[in-house]
Amino acid sequence: MRAAYPGAAEAVQDLHAQGFTLYTASGGSSRDLEGYLESMGVRHCFTRLYGPDLVNALKTGPEFYERIFADAGVEPEKAVVVDDSPQALAWAVQVGAKTVLIHTKAAESYPADRVIDRLARLPEVILFTMIPLESL
């Protein structure tokens, strides 16, 4: 398996195995995501692959996340948005989501609840620092 981020496929599989419902929120089309995630062997882990083509909104503001949450039937305050873009996470925060930034340099100015240096660390961050035990 190859992924843009080392450990990405394993992290996705781990979260899926833990019973989390996973979606994408990509600036790319849902068709492109389908092929990419299939090649990684993790397509089956995702409930829906959201791109601008499915919500009729570009990933350029909070409306993108509002539409995804509405379509998925997910309350924003129960969602965790993971991205490598501080700007995208700022939009997710505006609609009420928790956030995790993937960035190699931690900085206090990032608009995220957590900053991790690699996607492989996401399961431990989600399980041990962001999700109350009663919601598992």
Side-chain angles (χ1 to χ4, degrees):
M1 263 185 241
R2 293 191 55 191
Y5 293 102
E10 294 83 359
V12 166
Q13 290 168 339
D14 189 18
L15 290 168
H16 177 69
Q18 296 283 340
F20 288 97
T21 304
L22 305 176
Y23 301 92
T24 61
S26 174
S29 77
S30 59
R31 287 188 193 138
D32 291 342
L33 293 169
E34 183 86 33
Y36 181 65
L37 295 174
E38 276 292 337
S39 71
M40 289 175 56
V42 296
R43 170 56 186 100
H44 69 282
C45 297
F46 290 88
T47 300
R48 190 144 193 219
L49 308 179
Y50 285 104
D53 56 316
L54 294 186
V55 293
N56 199 29
L58 295 175
K59 191 174 180 179
T60 57
E63 181 181 25
F64 179 72
Y65 292 101
E66 288 171 348
R67 290 184 180 200
I68 288 174
F69 295 140
D71 186 80
V74 173
E75 296 175 40
E77 53 279 348
K78 292 185 177 180
V80 178
V81 176
V82 180
D83 208 305
D84 62 353
S85 166
Q87 181 60 64
L89 292 181
W91 298 323
V93 166
Q94 285 180 325
V95 299
K98 295 178 185 82
T99 57
V100 176
L101 176 68
I102 301 170
H103 200 281
T104 56
K105 296 179 182 173
E108 293 180 17
S109 64
Y110 290 131
D113 294 300
R114 297 285 183 271
V115 179
I116 57 177
D117 61 349
R118 59 190 180 281
L119 193 56
R121 293 195 54 226
L122 184 60
E124 71 185 69
V125 168
I126 297 291
L127 286 172
F128 299 115
T129 65
M130 298 190 77
I131 307 298
L133 290 177
E134 61 270 13
S135 61
L136 291 178

